[in-house]
Amino acid sequence: MFYKLVAKFLFLFLFFLVLSCSQKGDNSGGRSTITLVFKHGKIAGDPELFRQIIDRFEIENPGIKVKDEVLPASTDEQHQFYVLNLEGKSPEFDVLSMDVIWVPEFARARWIKDLSHLLTDVERSDFFPGPMQAVTYRGRVYAVPWYIDAGVLYYRKDLLRKYGFPPPKIWQELVTIAQSIIMREPDMYGFIWQGKQYEGLVCNVLEYFWSNGGDILEEEKLVLNSSENISALQFMRDLIVKYRVTPPLVITAIEEPTRHIFGNGKAVFMRNWPYALNIFEREGSAIKGKVGVSALPSFPGKESASTLGGWQLGINNNSRHPEEAERLIRFLTSPEVQKALALTVGYKPSRKSLYFDKDLIRVQPFLIQLHDIFMKVRSRPVTPYYMMITQVIQPEFSASLSGIKTPEEALNSAQRQIEHIFQVEK
Amino acid sequence: MNSREKGDKFIIPALIMLSCVTIYPVLYVFYLSLQRRLLIFDISRFVGFENYLFLFRDDRFWNALKNTAYFTVASVSLELFLGLSIAVLLNRPFRLRGLTRAVILVPWAIPTVVSARMWEWVYNTDFGILNFIIGSKINWLGSPFWAIHAAIFMDVWKTTPFVAILLMAGLQVIPHELYQAAKVDGAGSWTTFKRITLPLLKPVILVVLLFRTLDAFRVFDAVYVLTGGGPANTTETLSIYAYKVLFQTLQFGYGSTLSVVVFLCIGSISIFYIKLLSRGIK
């Protein structure tokens, strides 16, 4: 009786297995049409607009269908999805969009294809140097920059003009301006940024390190607890407790809450990514026409710096259709499509030439300013160790912002832990 | 073949099923935990108990263990206390009792991630209703002291109903005659509670404690969504730490070691409670 039951189950199981296999066969055998799967994060704005761009690719490339599949919203989850599927050698997707910090890791693990042949030297020079550096690992190019992001300083043009201040170039100037404006404007914060324990915190902190001449790695050498970094981190803590221009709420803030506060006219300065500009300039915005953007300030005698963000396109090493996938990447990173994306959803092109495009500038005049900022953008350490490094430094930065540790203690502790990590390959 | 042997045969399919879905993964994670395995560097070699020895030097592990223990003890004892009070109150007949019982279950019915997002807003410094009600400007989730308590409070809010319902079910099987007899003997309500309700409720209380302690010790989603482990890892629990090591930094060896530690802790807690439970029933 028991064995009969097992046999029946086995039979059913096999039956369905055969059924599902034969169905698959039917699909792929249909008139030599191949289907590319493109995985990416949610595209801002109306998804229909992006679909129209994909449709254009399908018309230009008969025989290729593109299925674009949206990943979960949080980048951590996207990273996890890629890791599990790429390590499992899944051929279920061909083109993937990657955060700028993942490329060396994925390249080191041989999860993505070498795309060096896709970009000639001339073409490479059309992309901003920051993202180009970020997609290059050991001299080879593993992805093509799709769109670019960078930390910028937002300021209230109207208020600065009212009280007679120019946009600050030095951090200390920002403090002075913020202090004097919030004294005279009630219910306003001076300067807000992102201080929650997450990847964005690292982006924020690095901008202070760099603009004080510090860094995390210098030629593969770990220099995290340098005096430049310690005093830069101390300055961030001082913004909250000593100068009192930054409210303690930044310790839990990510991009959107700060964007809301600034968007409601409640802050003089904000550090954020350029995406907020399009929102502030929308009809009905409380601060429409009152927002200025500039490069972030620096410490005296040092260079301003902003952290590179943005997304890059690469090809799954187990893709069954690498040539078609290359065509899709070429298409999506072409000047025409980048321009269309800039116009429809406000993504900032990774190609420099577009910042001098007449149509684009007419609609988004601030692009000219962004060009100069993007030219100086710096990438977080380009190393396959990055994901491990960031897991160590996030809580340490957070500890020193919330006052549990002094900046020196926090950076010393992080330095020790990362030195331990660097031994893993041995 | 006696009936006992026959019975043994019948559980073989279940055993095979169980070993496929639980025993094999557990053994595999243990095997991984003895390895240095780093996907991205193609490293995978046997290192014996090196990962376990590293636990002793890993401050972040001890911090996570401390947070987890604190979270578990604080939330479970609060939930038991509140749950018991609610159960006793709701066990008395009054108007709209059925409705009240249903309403009280609402927090339990909301998916954890949704309620964590909700509480994130409740705790918001500027727009949060909590600060609005008590008229303060406290940065609940940003302060190292408050963040863990905010997480505990959310967990208490969410799971007290579950505890209350289980205890209420336990209360209902206590025979009425006992209470009447106590009344006849002139016992006050506190004495009745101490001498009749509590002893008879003990098995249910132990089951509740078992469930809740296991859940609280493994807590991941609620805290991960609410704080991400911050500020400064003051809310990082063992599960969150293991998740980060496993899936964000891809150290499968050490991550598995952490998971084995969680598993061992939970195993010992369960055995402890089950021992207590079986003694109570005898």
Side-chain angles (χ1 to χ4, degrees):
Chain A
M1 179 64 205
F2 170 68
Y3 297 102
K4 252 187 183 167
L5 208 69
V6 171
K8 265 185 195 161
F9 269 117
L10 267 178
F11 174 75
L12 270 177
F13 178 70
L14 283 175
F15 178 73
F16 281 113
L17 202 72
V18 171
L19 204 71
S20 63
C21 284
S22 66
Q23 268 180 344
K24 237 183 193 162
D26 275 355
N27 273 342
S28 55
R31 307 279 120 53
S32 74
T33 304
I34 66 147
T35 304
L36 285 179
V37 177
F38 172 33
K39 289 274 183 190
H40 56 82
K42 188 177 175 296
I43 307 280
D46 185 359
E48 200 44 46
L49 295 171
F50 185 65
R51 189 60 229 181
Q52 283 165 12
I53 291 174
I54 296 278
D55 288 344
R56 228 171 70 204
F57 175 79
E58 289 181 347
I59 293 167
E60 285 170 20
N61 296 273
I64 308 181
K65 288 259 165 279
V66 179
K67 226 164 97 191
D68 67 313
E69 296 182 350
V70 178
L71 291 167
S74 99
T75 46
D76 283 344
E77 281 168 59
Q78 295 176 16
H79 181 253
Q80 187 185 338
F81 171 86
Y82 285 142
V83 166
L84 294 180
N85 284 281
L86 292 170
E87 175 61 18
K89 309 215 178 312
S90 158
E92 299 295 319
F93 55 96
D94 307 280
V95 177
L96 59 158
S97 114
M98 289 171 284
D99 195 350
V100 69
I101 50 183
W102 302 339
V103 179
E105 184 190 2
F106 288 12
R108 176 71 178 78
R110 288 193 296 275
W111 287 336
I112 49 177
K113 285 194 187 301
D114 183 342
L115 300 181
S116 305
H117 59 279
L118 215 57
L119 297 177
T120 60
D121 285 347
V122 183
E123 235 192 320
R124 279 181 209 185
S125 64
D126 187 30
F127 289 95
F128 283 107
M132 221 41 235
Q133 186 208 344
V135 297
T136 309
Y137 177 65
R138 295 197 173 151
R140 312 293 297 173
V141 174
Y142 285 90
V144 184
W146 192 23
Y147 57 91
I148 185 174
D149 239 343
V152 296
L153 180 74
Y154 290 81
Y155 59 90
R156 286 286 298 277
K157 267 194 302 208
D158 55 328
L159 290 176
L160 262 62
R161 203 176 302 132
K162 183 173 165 195
Y163 295 105
F165 292 112
K169 291 259 179 284
I170 303 289
W171 285 116
Q172 199 56 48
E173 285 171 14
L174 180 142
V175 170
T176 319
I177 299 171
Q179 277 175 336
S180 79
I181 293 183
I182 55 178
M183 235 165 38
R184 286 176 273 180
E185 296 277 339
D187 285 337
M188 273 200 98
Y189 295 128
F191 176 38
I192 51 179
W193 32 277
Q194 298 82 36
K196 185 179 172 170
Q197 179 175 331
Y198 81 126
E199 186 57 36
L201 172 61
V202 178
C203 300
N204 275 258
V205 173
L206 273 173
E207 284 158 354
Y208 294 80
F209 284 4
W210 287 329
S211 65
N212 198 25
D215 207 337
I216 294 182
L217 291 177
E218 260 166 23
E219 320 250 330
E220 311 245 318
K221 191 171 163 279
L222 188 66
V223 289
L224 190 57
N225 57 354
S226 67
S227 59
E228 291 89 355
N229 290 353
I230 292 173
S231 67
L233 196 55
Q234 181 64 48
F235 176 78
M236 291 179 84
R237 170 88 179 140
D238 287 346
L239 286 173
I240 305 171
V241 290
K242 188 170 152 197
Y243 308 123
R244 294 171 175 278
V245 291
T246 295
L249 70 92
V250 295
I251 296 174
T252 42
I254 61 174
E255 286 86 355
E256 280 295 89
T258 52
R259 199 264 294 166
H260 280 293
I261 295 173
F262 192 85
N264 288 331
K266 292 273 179 221
V268 187
F269 294 107
M270 170 177 71
R271 181 265 175 215
N272 211 327
W273 310 95
Y275 79 99
L277 249 181
N278 299 52
I279 303 172
F280 295 153
E281 294 303 330
R282 243 183 235 159
E283 223 41 66
S285 152
I287 52 169
K288 187 174 175 352
K290 298 176 180 169
V291 187
V293 187
S294 78
L296 288 159
S298 68
F299 290 95
K302 302 282 172 27
E303 281 262 337
S304 150
S306 63
T307 304
L308 170 72
W311 294 79
Q312 342 297 321
L313 300 178
I315 299 178
N316 179 354
N317 215 357
N318 286 297
S319 163
R320 293 201 193 95
H321 315 291
E323 278 164 39
E324 290 81 0
E326 281 179 14
R327 262 198 264 173
L328 179 62
I329 291 185
R330 271 186 181 287
F331 171 82
L332 286 171
T333 57
S334 66
E336 297 74 36
V337 172
Q338 290 205 347
K339 182 172 165 182
L341 278 171
L343 287 169
T344 51
V345 292
Y347 284 173
K348 307 294 171 277
S350 54
R351 289 176 183 268
K352 292 183 280 189
S353 49
L354 285 171
Y355 291 73
F356 303 98
D357 182 282
K358 292 223 168 55
D359 308 331
L360 261 182
I361 290 176
R362 202 178 47 241
V363 197
Q364 302 179 8
F366 47 79
L367 282 178
I368 299 177
Q369 260 176 309
L370 289 178
H371 172 269
D372 298 344
I373 298 174
F374 291 159
M375 278 305 283
K376 279 194 277 187
V377 85
R378 296 181 62 169
S379 42
R380 286 160 270 173
V382 182
T383 156
Y385 288 104
Y386 183 74
M387 291 308 279
M388 297 190 203
I389 295 179
T390 186
Q391 276 309 320
V392 170
I393 56 185
Q394 285 174 24
E396 297 295 344
F397 290 167
S398 171
S400 82
L401 288 186
S402 52
I404 300 178
K405 291 183 180 174
T406 66
E408 195 173 357
E409 286 165 359
L411 293 180
N412 282 336
S413 154
Q415 172 97 11
R416 265 201 313 278
Q417 293 175 61
I418 296 173
E419 273 164 1
H420 174 80
I421 288 175
F422 280 176
Q423 291 166 4
V424 294
E425 242 178 319
K426 276 152 210 158
Chain B
M1 203 196 283
N2 64 30
S3 63
R4 167 94 200 195
E5 277 168 34
K6 240 185 220 161
D8 284 351
K9 255 196 180 162
F10 275 109
I11 61 169
I12 290 174
L15 269 184
I16 294 174
M17 195 70 182
L18 268 181
S19 48
C20 288
V21 299
T22 54
I23 299 172
Y24 168 72
V26 167
L27 289 179
Y28 186 64
V29 168
F30 182 68
Y31 161 76
L32 277 181
S33 77
L34 301 176
Q35 296 214 328
R36 162 157 295 164
R37 188 175 280 223
L38 294 154
L39 292 185
I40 45 174
F41 299 110
D42 269 341
I43 296 176
S44 146
R45 62 188 156 83
F46 186 78
V47 291
F49 284 89
E50 199 179 282
N51 286 334
Y52 289 89
L53 289 177
F54 181 69
L55 284 177
F56 290 99
R57 289 184 287 135
D58 185 7
D59 293 342
R60 196 161 171 180
F61 163 71
W62 291 105
N63 172 58
L65 185 65
K66 194 193 78 195
N67 292 339
T68 312
Y70 185 70
F71 180 88
T72 307
V73 171
S75 64
V76 173
S77 39
L78 275 172
E79 281 155 20
L80 186 68
F81 175 73
L82 288 174
L84 192 57
S85 323
I86 292 173
V88 169
L89 281 179
L90 286 190
N91 204 35
R92 300 164 178 229
F94 62 92
R95 277 182 53 194
L96 299 179
R97 185 168 77 161
L99 185 73
T100 321
R101 278 185 187 173
V103 167
I104 217 158
L105 263 179
V106 168
W108 176 249
I110 299 175
T112 312
V113 174
V114 176
S115 54
R117 278 268 179 259
M118 225 164 70
W119 280 93
E120 205 182 338
W121 278 108
V122 171
Y123 290 133
N124 186 298
T125 315
D126 276 330
F127 316 110
I129 191 159
L130 183 58
N131 274 343
F132 177 76
I133 290 172
I134 62 177
S136 65
K137 271 279 178 195
I138 297 172
N139 189 2
W140 299 101
L141 298 177
S143 130
F145 173 76
W146 285 115
I148 182 93
H149 295 103
I152 290 170
F153 189 78
M154 182 186 90
D155 194 64
V156 169
W157 171 83
K158 184 174 165 51
T159 35
T160 300
F162 170 74
V163 173
I165 291 290
L166 280 188
L167 292 176
M168 218 158 19
L171 283 178
Q172 283 180 347
V173 295
I174 300 177
H176 265 285
E177 295 78 25
L178 290 176
Y179 288 108
Q180 280 160 356
K183 220 175 196 174
V184 171
D185 289 344
S189 53
W190 172 242
T191 320
T192 317
F193 178 76
K194 212 172 66 175
R195 292 283 169 85
I196 296 175
T197 312
L198 264 190
L200 287 172
L201 207 54
K202 193 176 152 202
V204 183
I205 291 180
L206 281 173
V207 168
V208 167
L209 278 178
L210 174 67
F211 277 142
R212 283 306 310 143
T213 315
L214 295 194
D215 271 353
F217 203 86
R218 293 177 311 188
V219 66
F220 174 77
D221 42 3
V223 182
Y224 189 75
V225 174
L226 192 68
T227 64
N233 284 347
T234 46
T235 56
E236 188 172 81
T237 63
L238 275 180
S239 298
I240 294 181
Y241 183 37
Y243 167 79
K244 285 179 178 167
V245 172
L246 275 171
F247 294 115
Q248 289 183 352
T249 69
L250 310 180
Q251 308 173 62
F252 275 31
Y254 191 54
S256 303
T257 309
L258 290 169
S259 314
V260 169
V261 171
V262 175
F263 175 76
L264 290 179
C265 291
I266 286 180
S268 4
I269 296 172
S270 316
I271 291 172
F272 170 75
Y273 277 130
I274 290 172
K275 276 256 163 73
L276 272 186
L277 200 59
S278 58
R279 213 168 47 196
I281 285 169
K282 273 175 213 160

